[in-house]
Amino acid sequence: MSTAHGEPPDQFQAAGDYILGGLFPIYYSDMNWIGEAKSESTKCQRFHLDGFRWLQAMKFAIEEINNSSTLLPDVMLGYDIQDTHLKSSVAMQSAISFLAAKDGEGFEVKCDYTDYSARVLATLGPSTSELSRVIARLFSFLLIPQISYSASSNLFSDRTYFPSFFRMIPTDEVQAAAMVSIVEMFQWNWMAVIGTNDIYGRRGMEYFTKHASKKGICIAYEELIPMSISGSKFQRKMVAVIASIVRSRVNVTAVFADQNYAYALMTIMFEQNVTGKVWIASEGWATSEIVTSFPNISSIGTFLGVAVKSGHIPGFESYVTAALALSQLPSLKPQSCGSDEKPLKEEECNNCSTLSVDEAAAIVGEDLQRVSFNVYSAVYSVAHALHRLLRCDLGTCTRNTIYPWQLLKELEQVKFILHNRSIFFDEHWNPPIGYDIINWQWKGGNSTPEFRIIGEYRALDKELLINTRLIHWNSLHNKIPGSNCSTTCEPGQIKMVKGYHSCCYECEDCPAGTFQSDDNQCVPCQKNEWSTLRSVECQNKTIEFMRWTDSLAVLLATLTAMGLLVIAAITSIFMLNLNTPMVQLAGGTTCLVMLVSMAISCGSLYCFMGKPNWLLCTVRQPIFSIGLAGCLSAMLVKSLQVSGLFRVSGYIPQWCPGFLQHNGRYLVVCFLLLLQVALCSVWQSTSPPSVFANYDISVKEIVMECDEAFVTGFGLLLGYNGLLALVCFLCTFMCQSSPKTYNLARHITFAMLIYLIAWVFFIPAYATTKGKFISSMQLFAGLVSVYGILTAYFLPKCYIILFKPEYNTQSYCQSLMQNPPPTTESQ
């Protein structure tokens, strides 16, 4: 091939046993806004320093392998490196030349290419996805391995259409996933995406949008940078694109472009005075010296990007520096890029920028050997495949004719370590590596930034690792810029989307009794849980019941115990003085029936405390009701006796007084008591009480209660006892007109009045009270009843027996009655 500035034509060609082809950009056309060639008077062919560096990596690797006695001993690799000029027509011409027969001048048309030997055994390059697509079909036709060092399009992962394509760079999808992970890490969800209108830009934007959607990131604006227009039309289009970015209120923009279009974008961005933005750079320009050479580019904002993994090639920097010196810079003159173009005159080069050896060497020194390492490792991949094909394990290689399809099969299995980097291909013949994460940092007043590695993206683990402390934000106080359509909702709030974008929303509080779920919903708590307003989780409700340690329970238990002690004391007094006139006047043995019944009823009050269970709920109401019924039945007999003694014949039959004065009174007590027992039995058999967990009383509590089930049955028990008390009250109340029996009847009247008042108040209190102290209403009513009967009926008798023995005589008691009581009353 023809070369520039008088260097020998064999500088990019070397003979060998097996030839590797190389396609690199060495020169490229200087364009006006990337779309229009300059006028003839200012037209230049610029030197592509990166391309020069990459081809040197290929030469360096081949020379290193040829000088090695272990990988391919006694085998020489040759190379044929050609310039693509970043033009598809030139790249196609070079590719066709590679397909020519090994010993011939042109490409032969054959029916079977199984034993066809082309000029090259494998090809490295070209540098872009667009150029790779143009020539990949040619190489695939003959199954010639094509190993790209920087074409990242996912298009080439399709083995059906590109069966011989390998690459040393991650795919666009991996790149997009890495860039989206950066956006997600800083909690940005409102951004723009721009890409060039080619395979690289379109596919990059496509995969970025797909991954962003999965992460809940909204693309407020996306646009393709046109490549078919030029000059002022291109500039007007880019101004409109930038204006749309500003209007959309995004602060973060991802750009999929090569360094030339990125430079054009940043130039217009600076002219439009757009500052303070965050730019996520694709690998096409993340480490571009061309873009960073733009003056005052730091004012545009913060630059983060993904870059090809850096590698280390020992001795490569000095090798490239020597190659640059050999190229006789600064006499690097522009050259024509095609046979149809005439070489430029010497005076036409004055307006074209040149590069000194020192400047070029400085740039090479800054290179972290990213794409260069890809080229280097691609050559070694071919060498390792040849090592297996030629059976070089024993120290010598068997020199056989190797066909491209044979090398292709071995390349699939290649796996080796190269300068601490594991080199191999996955099932799609892509390298399972990730990217370095780059931050542009200006230090010490330098106009050009340093490409600071702040983290990495691991493709196999799909994991982003960034040391955020290493990032320099070009913002006030080095603060992370925000880019959100709406403010972040607080915990316990859900997003109510407004419009078409899920990132534009209003925050709505989750009401009490619900919690914010991971899928942005207010989910009701379970029955045994509760939550406050704006909760992110539900709390378990506490189990509540009247515990023995509660203050009210302690008070009631103490009053109950005191009541039992009083009953026991009165019972003892009455038993010791059973045959005295005062005890006989009070009722004799029927008083013991009343006291024992009250003791049973009072003791049952303990069943209303503590945690409810089936046994307590089943027995507490029957025992309480039957106990009170026994006391009231005996009290009713005494009330009827009082009525009979005063001969209230209008109310009581004539035979009743005599019947009640003998053993008939016990029959009456038993009959009345059995009626209550029958009511309890019917209630328990038809609808027995049970333990009930009440969730409705309190938001935070589950109140354990005894469910009385058939409320009418429970009401009949209380109503029956109330009826007995009411009859007692009416009997004695009507007898109070006689002065001789005033005290005895009054005691019964007051006792029953207290009882009735207690239970009349109990009914509304029980119906309206809620919570764990609902049982306390019945406890209070029961205690008032017991204490009322003891105070109004029994304590006056005890007072006379203990402190007024002079009244506890036969004569005194007889004086209270119109007719003396019988002296032979059965005890």
Side-chain angles (χ1 to χ4, degrees):
M1 65 177 286
S2 62
T3 58
H5 33 270
E7 65 183 12
D10 63 346
Q11 179 175 346
F12 297 137
Q13 293 180 344
D17 299 313
Y18 304 97
I19 305 298
L20 303 184
L23 296 173
F24 298 94
I26 305 175
Y27 292 93
Y28 66 97
S29 298
D30 187 17
M31 309 298 286
N32 179 25
W33 295 116
I34 322 300
E36 180 179 48
K38 291 187 177 182
S39 62
E40 188 66 27
S41 62
T42 59
K43 184 176 179 181
C44 295
Q45 291 291 329
R46 291 191 179 276
F47 181 69
H48 199 298
L49 181 59
D50 285 338
F52 182 81
R53 191 161 48 203
W54 300 339
L55 74 87
Q56 294 300 327
M58 179 176 177
K59 292 175 57 182
F60 181 79
I62 290 176
E63 293 175 11
E64 199 172 59
I65 294 169
N66 289 340
N67 293 328
S68 171
S69 60
T70 56
L71 188 56
L72 293 174
D74 301 325
V75 173
M76 293 295 292
L77 293 180
Y79 55 83
D80 184 352
I81 299 174
Q82 299 196 25
D83 185 5
T84 65
H85 288 270
L86 293 177
K87 289 186 176 182
S88 58
S89 59
V90 178
M92 179 66 75
Q93 181 180 347
S94 300
I96 293 175
S97 69
F98 287 163
L99 298 180
K102 185 175 183 180
D103 299 325
E105 292 295 330
F107 179 69
E108 300 180 19
V109 178
K110 301 176 64 175
C111 295
D112 185 2
Y113 287 91
T114 304
D115 58 352
Y116 181 81
S117 295
R119 284 182 56 201
V120 298
L121 189 62
T123 299
L124 275 63
S127 57
T128 68
S129 297
E130 193 72 32
L131 294 180
S132 296
R133 185 185 66 166
V134 171
I135 66 174
R137 294 293 179 87
L138 290 175
F139 291 115
S140 296
F141 179 71
L142 296 181
L143 295 181
I144 296 178
Q146 177 187 358
I147 309 176
S148 177
Y149 44 86
S150 61
S152 58
S153 173
N154 277 69
L155 178 70
F156 304 115
S157 297
D158 190 338
R159 296 294 98 200
T160 303
Y161 296 101
F162 304 99
S164 64
F165 190 91
F166 294 80
R167 68 176 124 215
M168 309 306 298
I169 189 173
T171 65
D172 285 341
E173 186 159 13
V174 175
Q175 176 180 227
M179 295 169 72
V180 168
S181 296
I182 296 174
V183 176
E184 181 188 26
M185 182 175 190
F186 296 105
Q187 300 179 358
W188 298 318
N189 64 8
W190 188 243
M191 60 178 303
V193 183
I194 300 175
T196 49
N197 192 10
D198 58 4
I199 293 178
Y200 179 74
R202 290 193 301 269
R203 289 300 178 98
M205 292 176 62
E206 175 187 343
Y207 290 117
F208 186 92
T209 302
K210 182 181 74 172
H211 285 281
S213 177
K214 292 179 181 179
K215 301 295 185 180
I217 299 169
C218 296
I219 307 301
Y221 176 76
E222 55 184 321
E223 187 61 78
L224 290 171
I225 299 175
M227 303 178 71
S228 59
I229 60 176
S230 58
S232 59
K233 290 183 179 180
F234 178 86
Q235 186 167 9
R236 285 196 299 271
K237 174 62 178 177
M238 296 310 299
V239 169
V241 169
I242 294 170
S244 297
I245 293 176
V246 174
R247 282 196 304 271
S248 62
R249 297 180 294 107
V250 298
N251 286 330
V252 178
T253 302
V255 180
F256 292 87
D258 64 20
Q259 57 185 0
N260 296 319
Y261 280 94
Y263 182 90
L265 177 66
M266 294 301 130
T267 300
I268 303 177
M269 193 74 62
F270 182 79
E271 292 176 355
Q272 297 298 311
N273 197 29
V274 177
T275 61
K277 303 291 185 181
V278 176
W279 302 93
I280 310 295
S282 66
E283 55 82 22
W285 63 285
T287 57
S288 169
E289 291 94 350
I290 292 179
V291 181
T292 56
S293 65
F294 181 80
N296 298 319
I297 191 174
S298 60
S299 65
I300 296 177
T302 301
F303 291 85
L304 301 172
V306 295
V308 176
K309 275 284 186 180
S310 60
H312 177 62
I313 309 175
F316 179 61
E317 290 183 10
S318 58
Y319 181 86
V320 177
T321 302
L324 286 169
L326 184 62
S327 299
Q328 300 177 5
L329 288 171
S331 61
L332 279 174
K333 299 294 190 295
Q335 68 166 30
S336 64
C337 62
S339 59
D340 58 334
E341 297 181 9
K342 299 179 180 180
L344 299 180
K345 298 178 180 180
E346 184 68 26
E347 60 270 15
E348 294 174 354
C349 299
N350 294 333
N351 293 326
C352 301
S353 62
T354 58
L355 194 66
S356 69
V357 174
D358 293 337
E359 290 172 336
I363 294 176
V364 171
E366 294 175 358
D367 176 40
L368 292 174
Q369 299 173 5
R370 299 181 186 278
V371 177
S372 297
F373 190 87
N374 288 353
V375 176
Y376 181 76
S377 58
V379 175
Y380 267 89
S381 297
V382 174
H384 276 272
L386 279 173
H387 178 88
R388 295 182 59 177
L389 282 172
L390 300 178
R391 298 184 178 89
C392 300
D393 293 331
L394 299 178
T396 59
C397 297
T398 303
R399 297 191 183 186
N400 296 326
T401 299
I402 302 297
Y403 298 106
W405 60 267
Q406 293 176 308
L407 180 67
L408 183 67
K409 294 182 64 176
E410 290 298 331
L411 274 173
E412 300 175 18
Q413 311 300 324
V414 160
K415 188 171 184 179
F416 59 96
I417 303 296
L418 182 62
H419 300 310
N420 298 321
R421 171 85 70 82
S422 179
I423 308 297
F424 64 99
F425 301 100
D426 62 14
E427 66 274 14
H428 299 294
W429 303 351
N430 300 320
I433 59 174
Y435 285 94
D436 286 334
I437 309 302
I438 302 297
N439 176 218
W440 295 6
Q441 297 184 4
W442 287 263
K443 295 183 178 180
N446 293 335
S447 58
T448 57
E450 168 193 349
F451 301 130
R452 180 74 180 274
I453 298 177
I454 58 172
E456 64 174 330
Y457 179 80
R458 298 176 178 175
L460 286 176
D461 302 327
K462 297 181 179 179
E463 180 183 18
L464 178 69
L465 301 175
I466 289 183
N467 186 347
T468 55
R469 292 176 297 180
L470 298 178
I471 301 177
H472 176 73
W473 302 97
N474 286 344
S475 60
L476 186 64
H477 306 304
N478 197 31
K479 184 179 179 181
I480 300 177
S483 188
N484 302 89
C485 180
S486 301
T487 57
T488 304
C489 290
E490 297 294 330
Q493 293 182 321
I494 60 172
K495 301 173 182 178
M496 303 299 293
V497 178
K498 54 181 182 180
Y500 298 102
H501 291 287
S502 61
C503 300
C504 299
Y505 51 81
E506 294 178 349
C507 297
E508 184 173 293
D509 295 342
C510 282
T514 66
F515 71 97
Q516 178 195 10
S517 65
D518 294 334
D519 57 350
N520 193 44
Q521 297 291 329
C522 289
V523 180
C525 296
Q526 296 183 8
K527 195 175 182 180
N528 61 338
E529 297 176 334
W530 68 277
S531 68
T532 58
L533 182 71
R534 291 174 58 174
S535 294
V536 295
E537 62 180 0
C538 294
Q539 307 291 331
N540 290 328
K541 290 185 177 182
T542 57
I543 305 298
E544 289 296 332
F545 50 87
M546 190 162 63
R547 306 176 188 275
W548 290 98
T549 54
D550 292 336
S551 300
L552 183 59
V554 171
L555 174 63
L556 294 174
T558 302
L559 293 176
T560 302
M562 292 174 58
L564 288 172
L565 291 175
V566 172
I567 292 173
I570 293 174
T571 302
S572 300
I573 294 172
F574 270 55
M575 290 183 66
L576 293 175
N577 298 276
L578 185 60
N579 296 320
T580 61
M582 184 55 65
V583 174
Q584 291 297 315
L585 179 64
T589 53
T590 55
C591 290
L592 298 179
V593 173
M594 286 189 286
L595 290 168
V596 171
S597 298
M598 280 194 296
I600 293 172
S601 183
C602 192
S604 71
L605 295 179
Y606 286 115
C607 296
F608 290 82
M609 304 179 191
K611 186 175 182 179
N613 55 49
W614 174 84
L615 179 61
L616 292 178
C617 292
T618 301
V619 303
R620 66 178 193 170
Q621 294 294 357
I623 294 176
F624 178 77
S625 299
I626 292 172
L628 280 181
C631 177
L632 294 173
S633 297
M635 185 68 74
L636 178 58
V637 169
K638 187 60 184 176
S639 300
L640 293 175
Q641 286 179 339
V642 172
S643 299
L645 290 176
F646 284 97
R647 296 181 178 86
V648 188
S649 58
Y651 296 93
I652 300 177
Q654 295 295 324
W655 55 268
C656 284
F659 179 77
L660 295 176
Q661 288 177 0
H662 299 89
N663 292 333
R665 56 183 174 169
Y666 298 112
L667 293 176
V668 174
V669 172
C670 290
F671 175 75
L672 295 175
L673 187 60
L674 287 174
L675 285 178
Q676 182 69 292
V677 172
L679 290 174
C680 290
S681 299
V682 172
W683 179 38
Q684 293 281 341
S685 61
T686 56
S687 183
S690 62
V691 180
F692 170 64
N694 195 330
Y695 295 89
D696 301 327
I697 291 177
S698 174
V699 173
K700 302 180 182 180
E701 301 172 349
I702 302 174
V703 180
M704 302 303 297
E705 301 176 354
C706 286
D707 184 9
E708 308 300 351
F710 187 45
V711 180
T712 305
F714 175 55
L716 288 175
L717 300 186
L718 299 181
Y720 179 77
N721 287 338
L723 179 61
L724 295 179
L726 180 61
V727 174
C728 292
F729 174 77
L730 293 176
C731 288
T732 55
F733 180 76
M734 291 185 297
C735 298
Q736 289 184 12
S737 59
S738 174
K740 292 186 178 181
T741 59
Y742 173 79
N743 289 337
L744 186 58
R746 185 178 61 185
H747 296 166
I748 297 175
T749 300
F750 284 167
M752 294 301 100
L753 184 61
I754 294 173
Y755 180 92
L756 291 172
I757 291 173
W759 289 98
V760 166
F761 279 101
F762 163 76
I763 295 173
Y766 184 83
T768 57
T769 301
K770 298 182 181 298
K772 64 179 182 179
F773 295 116
I774 188 171
S775 296
S776 63
M777 296 297 101
Q778 192 166 352
L779 283 170
F780 272 117
L783 288 172
V784 170
S785 302
V786 170
Y787 275 101
I789 294 174
L790 292 176
T791 303
Y793 189 77
F794 287 99
L795 289 184
K797 279 72 176 173
C798 293
Y799 176 77
I800 292 174
I801 294 171
L802 296 176
F803 301 106
K804 298 291 183 179
E806 63 272 17
Y807 295 137
N808 190 10
T809 60
Q810 190 73 20
S811 58
Y812 178 77
C813 291
Q814 286 180 346
S815 67
L816 298 176
M817 298 179 294
Q818 187 175 7
N819 295 317
T823 58
T824 59
E825 182 181 21
S826 174
Q827 308 300 321

